[in-house]
Amino acid sequence: MPQMTCPVCKNHCLLTGEEQAGTITVSGNKCARGDLYGREELKGERKIVTYHAPTAFADIPSVPVRTTAAVPKELVFKLIRLIKKQKIDRPMKRGEVLLHQPLGMALDVVLDTDELENQQ
């Protein structure tokens, strides 16, 4: 039974997935988004992308970001290349959009930390 940490919301639930007779069940999730994330991860067709985006701040050289929805596997590395090209140079809050609908997908790449909230 594979285990994974869900990155979809701030709870970061420890999910356990199981597949029997073509039916996938997910446990450990505190919200419906965790159930959907677990199912998509076990199917292996789509992934929530988590990565680190570079910043212009010497004391915080990079910060974690994530997608707001699952990305088709064939677009994951293209999206990562786009994230690498970003350079955050202003204060941002958790959940603030870094990339809006990248590669034409109906999702955003958002900041997944509060570290930049008080940067000057």
Side-chain angles (χ1 to χ4, degrees):
M1 295 193 334
Q3 290 188 324
M4 62 201 95
T5 302
C6 179
V8 176
C9 71
K10 63 183 179 178
N11 291 327
H12 298 289
C13 300
L14 179 62
L15 306 178
T16 303
E18 188 174 355
E19 185 173 1
Q20 289 183 340
T23 302
I24 296 174
T25 57
V26 175
S27 61
N29 55 301
K30 295 178 184 172
C31 69
R33 293 183 302 168
D35 181 64
L36 179 62
Y37 168 78
R39 290 173 191 276
E40 288 179 338
E41 282 294 306
L42 288 173
K43 286 181 197 172
E45 298 166 0
R46 300 174 67 85
K47 298 189 79 56
I48 296 287
V49 175
T50 59
Y51 203 71
H52 276 77
T55 76
F57 305 107
D59 55 333
I60 305 172
S62 67
V63 291
V65 296
R66 66 173 174 82
T67 56
T68 56
V71 175
K73 278 199 167 183
E74 63 271 10
L75 296 178
V76 168
F77 290 109
K78 284 184 180 182
L79 180 59
I80 288 173
R81 284 193 294 273
L82 279 178
I83 293 170
K84 283 181 175 181
K85 291 179 183 178
Q86 303 305 303
K87 186 97 171 193
I88 301 171
D89 60 357
R90 63 182 176 82
M92 291 181 75
K93 295 180 181 179
R94 179 187 302 268
E96 195 169 332
V97 175
L98 177 64
L99 291 170
H100 178 66
Q101 297 185 344
L103 304 173
M105 295 182 286
L107 56 85
D108 294 325
V109 175
V110 298
L111 206 65
D112 201 23
T113 184
D114 290 323
E115 288 181 277
L116 296 181
E117 196 167 342
N118 297 314
Q119 286 297 311
Q120 298 292 330

